Amino acid sequence: MTNRNFEEWLGKFRTSIASYDYYIDFHKVVHNVAQIKVELNILNSLIHSKTIEEDFEKIVQKYPETLACIPILLAVRTTEIYAQDEEGAFCYDFKKMNYSVEQYKTFMRETGLFDMLSNHLVNNLVDYVLGIETGLDSNGRKNRGGHLMENLVEKYIKAAGFIKDKSYFKEMYLVDIERKWDIDLSALSNQGKAAKRFDFVIRTDEQIYAIETNFYGVGGSKLNETARSYKMLAQEADTINGFTFVWFTDGIGWKSARGNLRETFEVLEHVYSIDDMEHHIMKQVFI
């Protein structure tokens, strides 16, 4: 892979690698709603109620487990909610009541939940919570996105014939690599002070390949720091016999940090993109 043209390489970086299940995990959403469906249907009796405070008190006294549904109506996952007013500060426990019913009525009134229910702003709390859970799950895209590149790289590792926990390993710390294969990696760990973890490690007969993966769809200061740290890591890895650092990265976010990426590209022999993987770079490097 010598004499590669940086601009041509960067020009093939992708806008996105989102898979179909990246957007919403509907299985998780439906499961979360099903867990409290009975309680939500009990609370449905409050919709369009003309005596909602009295009806709420009766429900809470007869079915105290319905209290656990209240936080999700405010798009909150915790079982405790903090609120304060001129009367003081309160930390409401919705798993087990820690205040009087009157105080919980105050909570329902001041948060607007009584108004929403009594004025029929929603028709069914099960459907309403389904919408809330969908919205909350969309916030998980960042975490799912962080694993997309890892999953993609792993797919190509497997396609190259490597077997998990035999010839390739996921999420290995430096200390684990040292113990498993009796190799000194102190040049990377700052004499044991840094707990570095690699996304993947491939072991062949002659070499240990430590792999990092990431994808950046947008720019930012983090990209410059990533490029600088990997440049240093590559230089340190070059001093260790039998050990090679490999970086798989992609994403148009790099175009805003092309200067730092170019510096790393010129130093790090084994830095590859999705296009490289599609052109069987795994077999060229590791086999």
Side-chain angles (χ1 to χ4, degrees):
M1 298 300 294
T2 58
N3 300 319
R4 292 189 296 167
N5 183 285
F6 174 76
E7 292 298 333
E8 289 182 4
W9 181 70
L10 182 64
K12 295 177 182 179
F13 277 24
R14 310 294 168 85
T15 301
S16 173
I17 53 172
S19 53
Y20 288 110
D21 58 359
Y22 163 73
Y23 299 97
I24 298 293
D25 183 347
F26 280 110
H27 177 77
K28 175 184 172 184
V29 167
V30 172
H31 173 76
N32 288 347
V33 176
Q35 295 290 97
I36 55 172
K37 189 173 183 178
V38 171
E39 291 82 0
L40 288 172
N41 277 315
I42 293 173
L43 291 175
N44 268 335
S45 63
L46 295 174
I47 294 176
H48 214 37
S49 169
K50 300 300 182 182
T51 55
I52 192 166
E53 297 203 12
E54 291 80 356
D55 292 341
F56 173 76
E57 182 172 345
K58 291 176 183 177
I59 288 175
V60 169
Q61 290 175 340
K62 190 171 183 179
Y63 307 103
E65 64 274 15
T66 56
L67 266 184
C69 297
I70 302 302
I72 197 62
L73 300 183
L74 296 171
V76 176
R77 289 203 187 280
T78 60
T79 59
E80 295 182 342
I81 296 181
Y82 178 90
Q84 65 180 41
D85 56 22
E86 62 277 2
E87 299 297 325
F90 303 89
C91 186
Y92 295 87
D93 189 336
F94 289 93
K95 193 172 183 180
K96 185 177 181 181
M97 290 182 66
N98 58 338
Y99 297 118
S100 66
V101 175
E102 289 301 319
Q103 190 61 51
Y104 278 86
K105 286 182 186 178
T106 298
F107 178 91
M108 297 291 289
R109 189 185 314 117
E110 296 301 319
T111 56
L113 286 174
F114 274 158
D115 182 67
M116 179 186 75
L117 294 167
S118 62
N119 288 317
H120 213 162
L121 298 181
V122 295
N123 295 316
N124 185 295
L125 286 178
V126 176
D127 293 341
Y128 171 72
V129 171
L130 186 68
I132 287 178
E133 285 286 353
T134 300
L136 290 175
D137 188 74
S138 70
N139 294 329
R141 288 176 191 165
K142 183 176 181 181
N143 290 332
R144 288 194 291 272
H147 293 291
L148 286 176
M149 189 64 171
E150 283 185 34
N151 295 340
L152 188 61
V153 170
E154 186 171 17
K155 183 184 80 169
Y156 283 103
I157 289 175
K158 289 180 177 178
F162 295 98
I163 301 171
K164 187 177 181 182
D165 295 330
K166 289 188 177 181
S167 50
Y168 89 88
F169 306 82
K170 288 190 70 172
E171 299 181 347
M172 286 192 78
Y173 284 93
L174 282 176
V175 63
D176 297 323
I177 299 172
E178 289 179 318
R179 289 171 181 168
K180 189 172 184 65
W181 293 297
D182 191 25
I183 185 172
D184 182 6
L185 300 179
S186 58
L188 302 182
S189 65
N190 189 20
Q191 303 303 314
K193 297 177 183 177
K196 173 65 182 169
R197 187 185 73 177
F198 292 100
D199 293 329
F200 299 99
V201 174
I202 289 178
R203 180 70 167 108
T204 66
D205 291 338
E206 299 179 354
Q207 199 78 202
I208 296 171
Y209 296 93
I211 301 168
E212 284 286 273
T213 70
N214 43 49
F215 182 94
Y216 295 105
V218 295
S221 59
K222 182 179 179 180
L223 281 75
N224 289 322
E225 178 56 36
T226 298
R228 283 192 294 266
S229 66
Y230 285 179
K231 176 183 176 181
M232 182 179 297
L233 185 58
Q235 292 170 329
E236 293 169 343
D238 284 344
T239 68
I240 304 171
N241 291 328
F243 183 86
T244 300
F245 173 57
V246 184
W247 181 22
F248 291 99
T249 193
D250 212 298
I252 60 171
W254 278 115
K255 294 186 177 181
S256 67
R258 63 197 317 130
N260 287 90
L261 182 60
R262 181 193 293 272
E263 289 182 14
T264 306
F265 179 86
E266 292 172 351
V267 170
L268 178 54
E269 178 183 358
H270 297 292
V271 53
Y272 304 111
S273 65
I274 294 172
D275 183 73
D276 292 323
M277 289 192 286
E278 291 175 348
H279 286 84
H280 312 295
I281 193 61
M282 298 284 186
K283 292 185 178 180
Q284 295 177 44
V285 174
F286 304 129
I287 298 176

